[in-house]
Amino acid sequence: MNKMLWICSAFFLLLPTMAFAQCCAAGNPLSGDATAFGLPKNNLRISASFRHSYSDKFFFEDQFYQQNFVENSRYNFTSLQTIYGISDKWAAGAEMGYFIDKSQASLVPYPNTLSANGLGDLLLFSRYRIMKKVKPIEDLSVMAGVKIPIGAFDVSDDGVRVPVSLQPSSGAMKFQLSFSFMHQKPGSKFSYFTQAFGEISAAINSDFFQYHYGPLAYLIFSPGYRFWGKWQFN
């Protein structure tokens, strides 16, 4: 298994190392926790996070798109998450986000910057542990969640309606489903984590926007190495 782990790790490390953030989209950015495989019964975990994103390169589908309309986009986002262990297999939680700043610098019809801030979406989710083994250490979990657009939408900046991509809330219900798996041999410092995630969205139907997000799916593979005590690099 260690040999397979090193082969998979080498494959990902040999991929092109330059990555570009495609900022922005309405609503909270996706969150993920590779260590959240359920909590002991009656345990509560509270965590906070901050995320900064900046993009001055843009894409059409998977191709770089040369354009002269937008100079850059960015956001500063903070969130608070709580998870409670209902049983040793089942946990439920919630996450709320707030955009400190979400802006886009445009070049046409003249240089200007539109910005917005406010509450994002409320994520309610439940996680169930399907399988757990001790030797080797293995954990398989499923998560289902719903994003509720309770935050700011149809926001204006100096009388100008900001585009959908800059709205703090997504303006539509979103439904998520993911499967997560972790493996580690007893006594080994190496481990790996993988996750398959999917999200579908309802249509936005506000006073100013009629829009429908497409489905989203991604697959994560993350090798890990515990190098000192409980400190681990992924």
Side-chain angles (χ1 to χ4, degrees):
M1 183 60 68
N2 281 340
K3 183 182 293 185
M4 179 60 66
L5 176 61
W6 280 112
I7 292 173
C8 293
S9 301
F11 172 77
F12 280 90
L13 290 173
L14 289 174
L15 291 175
T17 56
M18 182 64 70
F20 301 102
Q22 188 66 52
C23 175
C24 297
N28 301 3
L30 288 173
S31 61
D33 188 348
T35 64
F37 278 94
L39 294 174
K41 184 178 178 180
N42 297 328
N43 273 244
L44 175 68
R45 182 173 64 193
I46 301 175
S47 59
S49 67
F50 172 81
R51 188 179 301 186
H52 170 77
S53 178
Y54 176 89
S55 179
D56 59 3
K57 295 179 174 61
F58 300 90
F59 296 81
F60 177 74
E61 295 181 346
D62 61 347
Q63 301 295 319
F64 175 69
Y65 179 60
Q66 184 67 44
Q67 51 83 36
N68 298 310
F69 308 106
V70 178
E71 184 177 5
N72 62 71
S73 298
R74 71 175 189 186
Y75 66 74
N76 293 295
F77 175 79
T78 183
S79 66
L80 180 67
Q81 183 187 85
T82 63
I83 305 177
Y84 180 73
I86 299 172
S87 71
D88 289 335
K89 288 188 175 183
W90 184 25
E95 181 181 283
M96 188 68 209
Y98 182 85
F99 283 95
I100 302 170
D101 170 63
K102 196 175 189 182
S103 61
Q104 177 175 285
S106 301
L107 300 172
V108 292
Y110 53 86
N112 68 96
T113 299
L114 289 175
S115 62
N117 60 70
L119 287 174
D121 301 326
L122 172 65
L123 171 63
L124 302 176
F125 62 92
S126 180
R127 182 180 290 109
Y128 182 78
R129 174 181 284 146
I130 300 172
M131 180 269 292
K132 180 180 181 180
K133 293 175 64 177
V134 178
K135 293 183 179 181
I137 301 171
E138 292 183 341
D139 201 315
L140 175 64
S141 299
V142 60
M143 187 277 289
V146 57
K147 274 186 176 180
I148 306 172
I150 67 172
F153 197 74
D154 287 341
V155 174
S156 298
D157 183 8
D158 289 334
V160 178
R161 190 73 53 184
V162 303
V164 171
S165 60
L166 294 181
Q167 296 292 338
S169 176
S170 62
M173 299 282 286
K174 293 184 177 182
F175 306 92
Q176 302 178 349
L177 181 68
S178 69
F179 291 88
S180 304
F181 178 75
M182 188 271 289
H183 173 92
Q184 182 178 11
K185 283 188 175 181
S188 174
K189 294 184 177 181
F190 294 96
S191 64
Y192 69 85
F193 163 81
T194 184
Q195 182 183 59
F197 175 91
E199 180 182 82
I200 58 174
S201 173
I204 298 174
N205 188 17
S206 74
D207 293 336
F208 299 94
F209 298 105
Q210 283 75 44
Y211 191 82
H212 194 186
Y213 301 104
L216 169 68
Y218 66 74
L219 179 66
I220 292 176
F221 175 80
S222 175
Y225 178 73
R226 192 177 302 276
F227 60 92
W228 181 57
K230 295 184 178 181
W231 289 88
Q232 179 165 309
F233 176 79
N234 290 294

